[in-house]
Amino acid sequence: MIPTITAFETSPDRGRGLARDMRVRWALEEVGQPYDVRLLSFKEMKEPAYLVLQPFGQIPTYREGDLVLFDSGAIVFHIAERHAGLLPSGANARARAITWMFTAVSTMEPPVVEHGMMQIAESREPWFEARMALIEPRVRTCLAQLSAYLGDADWLDGAFSAGDLLMISVLQRLRSSKLVDGYPNLAAYVARGEARPAYQRAFAAQLAVFQASQG
């Protein structure tokens, strides 16, 4: 059965691959699973019919037969469990890859998202500089710790896994701030992820949606 995911009809990231449907697209491409996409307007995302599927009115959702999932991390985890290619076969290596999945979305992503939202929504507020002075060091600390762990390895724990997919997706959200550029091994890590054919296919697909929305 071909799953259907939801995505923005007109993405606020302007096709840069930062919307969270991108990580689900990437996971599906990595495992070779065809999928359909249901595009939604911001209005449709807040309507009762959609809130039954996604109580918080966000994208993406994932529907496969009677199964409906939401939250991009949970969806990627489901894909990785159902298909070969995103989790190692060994029990211990698999557990470590899952640990990195959770680390990406629960340790790294919250301060990264807060940093990005401040730049978008609060850059002209009088408290911006004082708050950024608190938030940016948290992001830099996380980056320094991740950089130290990664060292000169290509991926976080042996072969590429769903942990890398989610971690790279989080690091991409810092692109406009250039903070990742201060850690050459992390910049190279992100570049390796973006060079993967599955990523390239997923990026092209979501970019085509945005370009079509612009007429």
Side-chain angles (χ1 to χ4, degrees):
M1 183 172 294
I2 296 178
T4 298
I5 68 170
T6 53
F8 290 116
E9 184 178 74
T10 304
S11 180
D13 78 340
R14 303 188 64 81
R16 293 184 297 157
L18 301 181
R20 286 181 175 85
D21 65 286
M22 176 63 193
R23 43 185 86 170
V24 175
R25 292 174 184 267
W26 185 5
L28 289 165
E29 293 288 353
E30 286 284 353
V31 301
Q33 171 62 56
Y35 60 98
D36 292 326
V37 181
R38 176 188 169 201
L39 301 178
L40 297 173
S41 67
F42 287 100
K43 179 177 180 294
E44 289 172 320
M45 290 165 57
K46 305 306 178 184
E47 291 177 349
Y50 187 66
L51 294 175
V52 171
L53 306 178
Q54 217 297 2
F56 304 99
Q58 300 172 334
I59 59 95
T61 60
Y62 173 101
R63 187 165 201 159
E64 185 178 10
D66 295 333
L67 175 65
V68 179
L69 301 174
F70 62 91
D71 187 274
S72 60
I75 297 169
V76 171
F77 189 16
H78 172 76
I79 294 167
E81 285 197 309
R82 287 284 186 93
H83 303 274
L86 285 175
L87 288 176
S89 57
N92 288 350
R94 181 185 181 89
R96 290 193 299 270
I98 293 169
T99 295
W100 279 113
M101 293 179 68
F102 279 86
T103 299
V105 298
S106 65
T107 300
M108 291 293 295
E109 190 160 35
V112 167
V113 169
E114 186 176 12
H115 182 273
M117 291 304 297
M118 274 202 64
Q119 289 183 315
I120 293 170
E122 302 181 32
S123 61
R124 296 185 180 181
E125 300 294 345
W127 59 79
F128 174 76
E129 290 189 8
R131 283 200 62 195
M132 188 59 79
L134 295 175
I135 294 169
E136 188 164 302
R138 290 173 54 203
V139 176
R140 290 185 183 277
T141 296
C142 286
L143 291 174
Q145 292 167 333
L146 181 64
S147 174
Y149 180 88
L150 181 66
D152 59 2
D154 285 347
W155 309 113
L156 290 170
D157 194 271
F160 177 85
S161 76
D164 295 294
L165 186 154
L166 288 176
M167 187 65 76
I168 290 167
S169 297
V170 171
L171 294 177
Q172 288 174 319
R173 302 184 74 87
L174 291 169
R175 182 176 293 134
S176 63
S177 73
K178 307 293 186 183
L179 289 177
V180 173
D181 294 348
Y183 305 87
N185 65 333
L186 295 185
Y189 173 59
V190 173
R192 277 191 295 276
E194 293 176 341
R196 293 179 69 83
Y199 177 88
Q200 293 291 319
R201 292 192 296 270
F203 183 86
Q206 63 83 38
L207 178 60
V209 171
F210 176 76
Q211 291 173 333
S213 75
Q214 300 305 293

